[in-house]
Amino acid sequence: MQNLIIIKIGGQAIQQLRPSFFQQLVSWRKAGKQLLIVHGGGPMITKLTQKLQLPVHKIHGLRVTDSETLALTKLVLLGDAQPALLTQLAQHGLPVVGLNAADNQLLTGTYLNRAQLGAVGQVTKVNVAELQRQLATHIGVLAPLALTTTGQWLNVNADMAATVLAQQLQAEKLVLLTDVPGIMQHGAVMTTLSPHQAQALTQQAVITAGMRPKVQAAIQAIQAGVQQAIITDAIDQPGTAIIQEAVI
């Protein structure tokens, strides 16, 4: 799907989308692009777990997910974050459809490290044919949850879910929206970033836990053949483009 753009939006960003976000979506649609939005809900999940006095524990940016946390994650993603985003898109006249793993097994996954992380998973299979059918007429809004082959729900990092989708759907562009304009160094946005540079900046603590999954996801996407992978705070801004290492 060389005309497909995949956009990952964090839960916090859903409440702070600018008019330019919707204008860019309209522009892409007019240009014949198909669009898939993968949405998170991390801040809302954390707020609810704290309200219920449940522990919040993360390992390398991944939320440790016991049965109670999984139930709250599904509640927030499918009952709060996704409807909020669908409502905003529809108000701007955009044709949208809400999607999740239970829709014809859209996302199949396996446990990432069950002993350490609980019900945290990775996507192993995408129902490409069903997504192609949905995206032919609508902007898809997909929650980052997967189902195992035996029907167990898994909490998937939204950046990594978006990356696997970009790979399997052969998207032309992956946009990872965050709360900063891109990878910052010395107070300025790095326009490009290679895997080697990313490793060095991680060791220097310039790229920290919150940004690390996004950088890793973007690198993985580029190495798998996605033409563009961008980290930015606005889809109409260049941000930081992840690039392949130069061949010497």
Side-chain angles (χ1 to χ4, degrees):
M1 299 175 71
Q2 292 302 308
N3 63 338
L4 172 65
I5 298 172
I6 295 181
I7 305 152
K8 183 268 175 175
I9 300 178
Q12 191 70 31
I14 292 174
Q15 311 297 331
Q16 301 170 348
L17 294 173
R18 309 167 190 168
S20 59
F21 174 84
F22 303 100
Q23 293 165 5
Q24 183 64 67
L25 295 183
V26 170
S27 177
W28 277 335
R29 288 274 300 176
K30 288 181 178 178
K33 303 297 184 184
Q34 294 184 1
L35 303 171
L36 175 62
I37 298 173
V38 180
H39 69 87
M44 289 177 275
I45 295 167
T46 297
K47 183 177 180 180
L48 183 56
T49 53
Q50 290 175 338
K51 185 176 181 179
L52 296 175
Q53 297 183 329
L54 295 173
V56 177
H57 183 41
K58 294 186 178 182
I59 299 175
H60 301 307
L62 298 175
R63 185 186 303 273
V64 176
T65 305
D66 59 15
S67 59
E68 291 179 311
T69 304
L70 179 62
L72 291 178
T73 298
K74 289 171 60 181
L75 178 66
V76 169
L77 292 178
L78 302 179
D80 189 359
Q82 188 173 100
L85 183 52
L86 288 168
T87 299
Q88 291 184 72
L89 292 165
Q91 287 173 342
H92 285 82
L94 291 160
V96 292
V97 58
L99 302 168
N100 69 74
D103 298 318
N104 291 309
Q105 196 78 25
L106 280 184
L107 299 179
T108 302
T110 58
Y111 289 92
L112 195 58
N113 185 331
R114 192 171 187 177
Q116 185 179 49
L117 297 168
V120 172
Q122 57 188 345
V123 176
T124 56
K125 183 180 179 182
V126 175
N127 188 339
V128 173
E130 178 62 17
L131 274 172
Q132 288 176 332
R133 186 182 73 82
Q134 296 281 3
L135 299 180
T137 54
H138 292 79
I139 296 175
V141 179
L142 178 61
L145 296 163
L147 281 168
T148 68
T149 54
T150 56
Q152 301 301 310
W153 285 88
L154 298 172
N155 181 17
V156 180
N157 174 273
D159 296 308
M160 298 310 298
T163 297
V164 175
L165 284 157
Q167 294 168 357
Q168 295 204 21
L169 292 170
Q170 298 181 317
E172 70 173 55
K173 180 187 288 190
L174 171 64
V175 182
L176 300 173
L177 278 184
T178 183
D179 56 359
V180 292
I183 306 300
M184 308 294 293
Q185 187 177 37
H186 307 307
V189 177
M190 298 181 68
T191 56
T192 60
L193 182 72
S194 71
H196 180 75
Q197 289 173 312
Q199 183 180 16
L201 292 177
T202 299
Q203 292 173 346
Q204 297 165 20
V206 174
I207 296 174
T208 54
M211 183 62 73
R212 194 177 302 166
K214 294 176 176 57
V215 172
Q216 292 174 340
I219 290 172
Q220 185 177 329
I222 288 295
Q223 292 176 339
V226 178
Q227 296 174 28
Q228 297 182 63
I230 298 166
I231 298 173
T232 183
D233 64 348
I235 61 174
D236 59 331
Q237 297 298 320
T240 299
I242 306 301
I243 60 172
Q244 289 277 23
E245 300 285 5
V247 177
I248 300 176

